[in-house]
Amino acid sequence: MDSTSDPARPSARAWTRARREEFISAAVGYLENLPPDGEDPEPLSIRLVASLLGKSPSAPLFHFPDRRTLLAAVAAEGFTRLAAMLRPLAQRCEGADPPLRRVAQGYVEWAAATPLLFVTMHERGLAAGIAAIDEGNEDYWRRFDANSMNAIAEKLTTAAGRRRRAFRDLYVAKAAAVQAFEDAARASGWPERDGRRRARVALALASGLAWEGVGAGQARLRAQLSDVLGDLG
């Protein structure tokens, strides 16, 4: 029997997708596991992700032509997980705290529980790529591609498309996390304009507390949450 017609055999596209997700999962798993006290974690890199899976250093380059593309893909997965955690909290539940307060608290506690992943999701170098997706700025991508120093990756794949995909995924995933705050405001019954304003305030407060809470103890963090988020309905 011709193996190419075997229905149990994954297509080339499915195999490629699975390998990409495998690298992303390994990177996220690395960031979620805090190093021992007093030991600085090795910065996330293409070489490190390859070593986590016992692959050659060039293996991830087909999927991530440079480190910034890898970080964008990892950040997208982080925001996807964050949004999935926040979504149920945005629903009104009898006897529970107001949805917006619960979403803000969930955001802060998630950041405190996964500090390395949270910091990676907000790498300064990712902001320009997210904005370029939002604005449809092709000039940014042309400069990005022209400035790439990874000649091996350019030969292995259509690197430009891989970069855009990673940042497009990040843009969508980050928007989904932000949407949870708006859904929570809507569940509280506020008019649309007032609800959006409250959602933005809650997100700003949660983001500020999250950065303060990275590395802070849970007891101290809960006290801050109670003080700052107490008025959120």
Side-chain angles (χ1 to χ4, degrees):
M1 178 178 178
D2 185 356
S3 61
T4 59
S5 62
D6 183 356
R9 181 177 180 178
S11 66
R13 179 174 295 182
W15 185 90
T16 300
R17 187 185 306 115
R19 296 291 76 74
R20 181 178 188 271
E21 292 174 356
E22 187 179 19
F23 284 122
I24 294 172
S25 294
V28 171
Y30 171 77
L31 293 172
E32 285 181 329
N33 291 289
L34 290 171
D37 291 342
E39 180 181 328
D40 291 331
E42 181 180 346
L44 191 65
S45 66
I46 289 175
R47 182 180 294 274
L48 172 61
V49 171
S51 70
L52 292 173
L53 294 174
K55 306 290 187 181
S56 70
S58 63
L61 290 174
F62 180 82
H63 311 280
F64 317 106
D66 45 56
R67 181 174 182 271
R68 193 162 21 161
T69 304
L70 170 65
L71 292 180
V74 170
E77 177 63 19
F79 276 111
T80 297
R81 296 185 184 193
L82 174 60
M85 185 277 296
L86 294 178
R87 206 168 289 122
L89 301 178
Q91 307 304 313
R92 176 170 288 281
C93 297
E94 198 67 34
D97 286 339
L100 197 52
R101 191 187 309 169
R102 289 194 294 136
V103 167
Q105 181 169 328
Y107 180 100
V108 176
E109 293 184 348
W110 188 88
T114 58
L116 289 180
L117 178 57
F118 180 79
V119 170
T120 299
M121 289 159 55
H122 294 85
E123 280 265 352
R124 184 176 300 178
L126 300 179
I130 296 172
I133 292 292
D134 186 34
E135 300 163 2
N137 185 351
E138 285 300 315
D139 287 340
Y140 172 83
W141 297 111
R142 280 192 287 270
R143 291 195 302 271
F144 195 157
D145 298 338
N147 291 334
S148 173
M149 302 300 291
N150 199 330
I152 296 176
E154 301 296 340
K155 292 177 181 178
L156 282 174
T157 185
T158 54
R162 306 290 185 189
R163 294 186 185 105
R164 286 165 175 75
R165 173 187 173 178
F167 277 95
R168 191 176 300 112
D169 289 349
L170 174 54
Y171 174 80
V172 171
K174 188 172 184 178
V178 172
Q179 183 64 46
F181 282 82
E182 295 190 5
D183 290 345
R186 189 176 300 111
S188 297
W190 289 305
E192 184 173 355
R193 177 178 292 184
D194 190 32
R196 286 185 175 179
R197 180 185 62 79
R198 287 175 181 265
R200 286 195 297 269
V201 170
L203 177 57
L205 288 172
S207 181
L209 282 174
W211 282 105
E212 287 185 25
V214 168
Q218 288 293 317
R220 174 186 162 198
L221 186 59
R222 286 182 181 277
Q224 287 179 308
L225 282 167
S226 178
D227 291 342
V228 179
L229 303 179
D231 293 334
L232 285 178

